[in-house]
Amino acid sequence: MSDSVLDFALRAPKAELHMHIEGSLEPELAFALAQRNGIDFPFASVDALRAAYDFSNLQSFLDLYYACADVLRTEQDFHDLMLAYLRRAHADGVVRAEVMFDPQTHTARGIPMQVVFDGFLAGIAAGEKEYGISTGLILCFLRHLSEDECLATLEEAKPFMQHVLAFGLDSSEVGHPPSKFVRLYAACRALGKPVVAHAGEEGPPAFITEALDLLKVNRIDHGVRSVDDPAVLERVARERVPLTVCPLSNVRLCVFDDMRQHSLPKLLAAGACVTINSDDPAYFGGYLGDNIRAVQAAFNFDRTVWYQLARNSIDASFASTADKARWLATLDASLCAPGAASDSNGPLDE
Ligand code: ADE
Ligand code: ZN
């Protein structure tokens, strides 16, 4: 019965490695924050805002995403946003969250870097206390800005380096190749942090190659278009480069016409180190659990696939070796839990 496979997938301990915290701003919270901060929000109601979530490509989404982020003003706002996400993630079996944030979206509006960090860190501390969830921050640079502006942001963030897990690159991919940020990434790596970058979401497979060779990234965010170039796909699989795939996002942003057209099965068949993530859950139809349900409805994977996806997410995280070993042991134990062997949908039962 595929139901118990889905239960296993939902309950398995896992890491979420690709989620923009600003993209977890639910319309209800956006309206509450607008009211709390006395902001004249340009939507008549929660329903009117939700109705605007009809995207034709990445840019049409980003325009709304940056506009909504304007309601985030105070330390309390950033705290509330983080804690709301961690609550949802915990419900989906997430034991480790590596959360992306866009400081430039806030500092450009005059919000001090200190307010952003203090709010997020307070939310992370509350999430750890309430849900036992381990969380790290990935500081993302906006690739539609110049490299010099990004280098200035890196300088501004230097006093907070002990709170930065890794660096990333997001926003409009087309027209802004990884090669634009070689100096920035060298500076980030010199700080001893891992680096990731969005590549091969809307951009071509060549951007994945650039991110690997020029930026020397540890993971590729999305990477779903690697299937368009067999050599890139073969390399990503051979080198076990983790791909943080976001299925609902890709459908909502029209990277694929529908879930059944998604390249996920091809990526798995090629042996790529795929992980499943929610990207911007408030805008794209749901959190990690919703992504898992949508993928399972389209592809009816067996339990070995879901086990491997959960395992990949923990392996590909930047957590300590000790934490990874602990979560992997729990994952292995969950395979043998009562009821886990009761379905006949996976080779593990054979
Ligand atoms: N920022 C938030 N979500 C993003 C996405 N899916 N791609 C690029 N930048 C983003
Ligand atoms: Zn993303």
Side-chain angles (χ1 to χ4, degrees):
M1 275 182 311
S2 154
D3 263 7
S4 72
V5 174
L6 183 58
D7 284 348
F8 170 76
L10 292 170
R11 279 187 288 102
K14 56 188 95 67
E16 178 151 56
L17 307 178
H18 183 167
M19 198 289 306
H20 304 262
I21 192 66
E22 294 88 352
S24 70
L25 179 61
E26 293 286 345
E28 291 78 6
L29 183 58
F31 267 85
L33 296 186
Q35 195 167 32
R36 184 157 94 189
N37 293 324
I39 297 166
D40 193 11
F41 200 47
F43 293 93
S45 65
V46 164
D47 287 343
L49 176 53
R50 236 184 255 285
Y53 292 0
D54 182 20
F55 310 115
S56 50
N57 56 23
L58 175 58
Q59 193 59 52
S60 64
F61 152 69
L62 289 171
D63 292 343
L64 186 65
Y65 163 90
Y66 294 128
C68 289
D70 186 41
V71 301
L72 297 163
R73 300 278 174 101
T74 68
E75 190 179 318
Q76 185 71 45
D77 300 341
F78 291 99
H79 162 278
D80 293 354
L81 182 66
M82 180 63 75
L83 190 55
Y85 161 68
L86 293 175
R87 184 178 305 123
R88 296 294 300 260
H90 173 67
D92 289 334
V94 174
V95 293
R96 167 77 173 175
E98 301 192 350
V99 172
M100 298 171 169
F101 74 113
D102 293 335
Q104 290 158 308
T105 299
H106 311 300
T107 54
R109 299 181 288 116
I111 312 293
M113 189 75 84
Q114 180 95 47
V115 167
V116 178
F117 270 97
D118 285 351
F120 284 149
L121 292 171
I124 287 171
E128 170 95 55
K129 185 158 174 255
E130 286 187 35
Y131 309 116
I133 191 163
S134 161
T135 306
L137 286 173
I138 302 179
L139 188 162
C140 287
F141 298 99
L142 301 179
R143 69 202 300 160
H144 66 269
L145 300 178
S146 71
E147 186 177 44
D148 282 342
E149 285 170 292
C150 295
L151 282 163
T153 297
L154 178 59
E155 275 309 308
E156 208 183 332
K158 287 237 169 110
F160 307 97
M161 272 310 112
Q162 77 269 32
H163 304 301
V164 173
L165 173 72
F167 293 98
L169 186 66
D170 61 7
S171 192
S172 324
E173 185 180 10
V174 173
H176 303 283
S179 55
K180 185 177 156 186
F181 297 100
V182 172
R183 283 184 303 136
L184 175 68
Y185 267 62
C188 292
R189 292 195 316 272
L191 293 168
K193 310 275 185 192
V195 291
V196 301
H198 284 54
E201 178 184 16
E202 282 188 344
F207 281 18
I208 297 171
T209 304
E210 278 191 15
L212 291 171
D213 292 341
L214 303 181
L215 306 187
K216 304 189 191 315
V217 296
N218 302 82
R219 301 192 298 241
I220 293 281
D221 295 315
H222 293 293
V224 292
R225 290 199 53 203
S226 55
V227 297
D228 296 348
D229 183 334
V232 173
L233 181 57
E234 189 273 331
R235 176 185 179 182
V236 158
R238 180 170 31 84
E239 295 182 5
R240 295 289 296 160
V241 179
L243 304 180
T244 63
V245 171
C246 305
L248 281 174
S249 162
N250 295 147
V251 174
R252 287 297 179 102
L253 297 186
C254 308
V255 174
F256 301 102
D257 290 342
D258 63 62
M259 194 60 84
R260 283 170 199 273
Q261 309 302 316
H262 199 286
S263 60
L264 182 55
K266 285 187 196 142
L267 295 170
L268 289 169
C273 179
V274 175
T275 69
I276 303 286
N277 306 272
S278 66
D279 206 6
D280 298 284
Y283 293 88
F284 298 150
Y287 291 76
L288 188 50
D290 301 295
N291 275 269
I292 290 170
R293 282 184 203 93
V295 165
Q296 186 62 352
F299 300 118
N300 196 28
F301 288 147
D302 66 33
R303 202 140 29 88
T304 52
V305 174
W306 287 112
Y307 171 81
Q308 191 61 53
L309 288 165
R311 190 173 182 97
N312 289 349
S313 72
I314 293 169
D315 277 338
S317 77
F318 299 135
S320 70
T321 309
D323 279 345
K324 288 186 189 190
R326 196 161 41 83
W327 296 322
L328 288 172
T330 316
L331 173 62
D332 285 350
S334 76
L335 261 185
C336 310
S342 65
D343 70 274
S344 56
N345 206 30
L348 289 170
D349 302 326
E350 288 163 14

